[in-house]
Amino acid sequence: YSVLCVCVYVLAPSARLHPQDCAEIYRLGIKENGIYTIQPDPHRPAVECDMETAGGGWTMFQRRRDGSVDFNRTWQEYREGFGSPQGEHWLGNAALHALTNTGQHLLRIQLEDWHKQKLNVVSPSPRYRLTAREYSGDAGNALSYSKRYNHDGRSFSTNDRDHDRYTSGNCAQYYGAGWWFDTCLAANLNGRYYRGRYSGLTNGIYWGTWYILTDSRSGERYSFKSVEMKTRPRNF
Ligand SMILES: [Ca+2]
């Protein structure tokens, strides 16, 4: 009898301490933004929860805001994640997969440029393989831009793993970022961090349907000031 009692006593609290995602934390009644511990990935259990935007319950898996973290990383690094949830980070493809492989999920992207223009993109299911079919938002759907530039259905590539549809090389190596490259890109939110304008290869933080992409006189390109990528179950 005593063994049974001990088991229940030990297991019940720890189960409650490790919810699946921020949506579950929200449903438990915790509705403050912050860093929380979640279940899916034992190596990087801390995530930033957005409990305010559009009803809350969003688990953040990517953030860019100051260029402090290098996003030109290997397959292994993208799988396990890098950076910290307090700052710039990629949560990790293993955790992202665990977060999104049960049922349909929404992908929310919040971008801000250097002119304080902000945009929102909401689309289902960010995985190793990206599935982004339906779109709503105010920025244009650069994830499904055209036949050759279509990130929907693409697999993830890194500088050491070429899963893109560009046959003459590795887009991830060429653009210095891990991403769901096609041939190669209409969007790349893991690109290099520039403080606004830059010239040369379009390897900055890029969203191909944004209202300004290059300066018509100087030919300089624009990179974004901040990016956040989050996910939440569709039926939340
Ligand atoms: Ca290739």
Side-chain angles (χ1 to χ4, degrees):
Y1 298 117
S2 61
V3 171
L4 181 65
C5 289
V6 169
C7 290
V8 170
Y9 179 76
V10 171
L11 288 176
S14 71
R16 267 186 275 120
L17 280 172
H18 297 288
Q20 193 65 25
D21 56 18
C22 296
E24 196 180 329
I25 294 170
Y26 189 93
R27 283 194 297 263
L28 291 170
I30 303 164
K31 298 178 180 177
E32 277 172 44
N33 290 341
I35 312 287
Y36 294 92
T37 301
I38 58 166
Q39 188 81 278
D41 187 357
H43 303 293
R44 301 189 64 80
V47 296
E48 169 93 29
C49 292
D50 176 350
M51 303 305 206
E52 283 172 2
T53 306
W58 298 96
T59 305
M60 191 182 296
F61 65 89
Q62 188 254 32
R63 174 159 57 202
R64 314 293 302 276
R65 65 179 179 199
D66 53 19
S68 61
V69 170
D70 183 5
F71 273 65
N72 187 10
R73 304 272 188 150
T74 63
W75 180 260
Q76 175 89 1
E77 289 173 303
Y78 267 100
R79 193 179 63 197
E80 290 174 7
F82 50 84
S84 74
Q86 289 87 350
E88 295 202 329
H89 67 276
W90 182 259
L91 179 64
N93 287 339
L96 188 55
H97 178 72
L99 276 170
T100 57
N101 71 352
T102 52
Q104 282 209 318
H105 281 68
L106 296 177
L107 163 66
R108 176 171 210 96
I109 299 171
Q110 290 171 272
L111 286 164
E112 185 189 359
D113 74 8
W114 297 85
H115 309 285
K116 297 200 170 89
Q117 293 293 312
K118 296 183 182 182
L119 74 86
N120 278 291
V121 175
V122 182
S123 184
S125 276
R127 299 192 190 182
Y128 275 86
R129 184 182 288 275
L130 180 69
T131 310
R133 294 274 147 75
E134 297 152 55
Y135 157 85
S136 64
D138 44 20
N141 188 4
L143 292 178
S144 293
Y145 186 77
S146 68
K147 253 187 178 166
R148 287 187 61 218
Y149 302 110
N150 188 2
H151 299 282
D152 174 29
R154 299 286 81 78
S155 297
F156 205 86
S157 289
T158 52
N159 55 25
D160 59 342
R161 292 281 180 99
D162 183 352
H163 300 145
D164 61 44
R165 294 205 302 177
Y166 177 60
T167 50
S168 335
N170 180 355
C171 299
Q173 206 170 58
Y174 194 59
Y175 289 100
W179 189 248
W180 298 276
F181 286 107
D182 189 27
T183 64
C184 283
L185 64 91
N188 173 18
L189 302 181
N190 287 343
R192 258 184 78 171
Y193 194 91
Y194 291 102
R195 296 191 178 275
R197 296 170 180 223
Y198 66 102
S199 44
L201 183 68
T202 310
N203 62 355
I205 300 174
Y206 186 74
W207 189 259
T209 50
W210 192 239
Y211 75 108
I212 40 164
L213 295 171
T214 53
D215 186 307
S216 55
R217 284 166 301 171
S218 66
E220 286 175 304
R221 312 186 192 291
Y222 290 98
S223 191
F224 285 88
K225 186 181 180 183
S226 72
V227 187
E228 289 180 357
M229 299 180 75
K230 303 163 190 181
T231 186
R232 181 174 84 182
R234 187 167 207 172
N235 60 6
F236 177 72

